[in-house]
């Protein structure tokens, strides 16, 4: 978990290169940056999926007729 901020720092560098208009082949330098970018994306996707599941579960709880949930 301590590495996730480093992954996002690398991902931000890659995004900044893309925004500056550098050619596609210069967005990432080496395999390490590609791996960090993928790990940052995977962490973000995991967090989004968990938030989505939590929202669905809260909706089910809110609509429940079970007295323990009210």
């Amino acid at each position: 978990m301590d590495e996730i901020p480093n992954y996002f720092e690398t991902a931000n560098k890659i995004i900044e290169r893309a925004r500056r208009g550098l050619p596609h082949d210069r967005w990432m330098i080496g395999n390490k940056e590609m791996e960090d970018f993928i790990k940052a994306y995977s962490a973000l996707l995991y967090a989004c999926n968990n938030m989505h599941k939590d929202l669905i579960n809260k909706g089910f709880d809110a609509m429940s007729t079970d007295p323990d949930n009210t």
Side-chain angles (χ1 to χ4, degrees):
M1 287 301 251
D2 297 332
E3 299 162 339
I4 290 177
N6 295 334
Y7 298 152
F8 279 97
E9 185 177 321
T10 302
N12 284 335
K13 289 179 187 177
I14 293 166
I15 292 167
E16 179 59 32
R17 292 176 195 144
R19 287 183 177 158
R20 285 189 309 200
L22 292 176
H24 296 112
D25 62 340
R26 297 202 179 171
W27 288 358
M28 295 180 206
I29 302 170
N31 290 339
K32 175 77 170 107
E33 285 192 352
M34 172 63 96
E35 290 171 7
D36 286 356
F37 189 83
I38 297 300
K39 288 176 182 177
Y41 175 77
S42 296
L44 184 61
L45 187 62
Y46 179 78
C48 287
N49 284 335
N50 282 341
M51 286 190 298
H52 182 71
K53 287 178 189 175
D54 286 344
L55 286 172
I56 290 172
N57 288 336
K58 287 182 189 249
F60 284 144
D61 290 344
M63 299 299 289
S64 176
T65 57
D66 184 6
D68 293 333
N69 289 333
T70 57

